[in-house]
Amino acid sequence: MSTVTESVDVHVPLHTAYNQWTQFESFPNFMGGVESVTQIDATHNHWVVNVAGARREFDTEITEQHPDERVAWKSTSGDTRHAGVVTFHRLGDTDTRVTIQLDWEPEGLVENVGDAVGADGRQVKKDAKAFKEFIEQRGLETGGWRGNVDTPGARPDTRR
């Protein structure tokens, strides 16, 4: 299992950074290799990615979500095994630290070589910087979901 952790400070309020991160379908705007993310329901998404010529599709489930604090997920199907968490830390009224941690199981020669030379870590760093640019240029989130999810398979709190 490989792990990457990256933090970026964004010049927007905590709720703005958090709300934008919950808009999964906007991820192709700032994540390299992500072709599309389709939100199936409040806790499930379908991803299509193309990294180094390898096109993959997989599903994810939100396993924990607490407004203005964290979003955690894991893959549930497809040929990509991974999990992650993004946490949000208030630095001031208009500044937030976003920390991304990803755990995954590289498969095949290309993914194992990429992992060995740190390509995945560089991509996460690049994506974090792109998220910063995306949200700071907009100044406002494109939407937001403020529900809570506490355990895998639990029914989410859909109050907004």
Side-chain angles (χ1 to χ4, degrees), residues 28-51:
N29 291 307
F30 54 84
M31 286 188 177
V34 176
E35 291 183 1
S36 67
V37 180
T38 304
Q39 192 157 357
I40 299 166
D41 60 31
T43 59
H44 296 90
N45 295 292
H46 180 76
W47 292 64
V48 178
V49 299
N50 190 334
V51 179

Side-chain angles (χ1 to χ4, degrees), residues 10-135:
V10 296
H11 187 61
V12 297
L14 174 74
H15 69 272
T16 301
Y18 172 84
N19 285 348
Q20 186 59 56
W21 198 271
T22 67
Q23 299 306 289
F24 307 112
E25 292 182 348
S26 73
F27 283 10
N29 291 307
F30 54 84
M31 286 188 177
V34 176
E35 291 183 1
S36 67
V37 180
T38 304
Q39 192 157 357
I40 299 166
D41 60 31
T43 59
H44 296 90
N45 295 292
H46 180 76
W47 292 64
V48 178
V49 299
N50 190 334
V51 179
R55 188 171 193 272
R56 301 197 185 245
E57 293 192 38
F58 56 91
D59 295 321
T60 58
E61 176 184 20
I62 303 299
T63 57
E64 184 181 6
Q65 184 168 339
H66 302 291
D68 297 336
E69 293 178 17
R70 66 191 295 119
V71 178
W73 68 92
K74 67 177 181 177
S75 60
T76 59
S77 69
D79 51 5
T80 300
R81 291 183 46 213
H82 74 277
V85 62
V86 178
T87 57
F88 303 85
H89 308 274
R90 182 182 184 276
L91 300 177
D93 290 345
T94 59
D95 292 287
T96 305
R97 177 162 295 142
V98 179
T99 301
I100 305 159
Q101 180 180 332
L102 298 174
D103 299 312
W104 76 98
E105 191 68 46
E107 296 178 14
L109 179 64
V110 172
E111 288 182 13
N112 279 291
V113 169
D115 180 42
V117 300
D120 297 318
R122 286 190 300 277
Q123 185 62 54
V124 172
K125 185 173 190 163
K126 184 177 177 181
D127 292 347
K129 182 179 177 186
F131 174 75
K132 173 183 175 65
E133 292 170 2
F134 178 81
I135 193 60

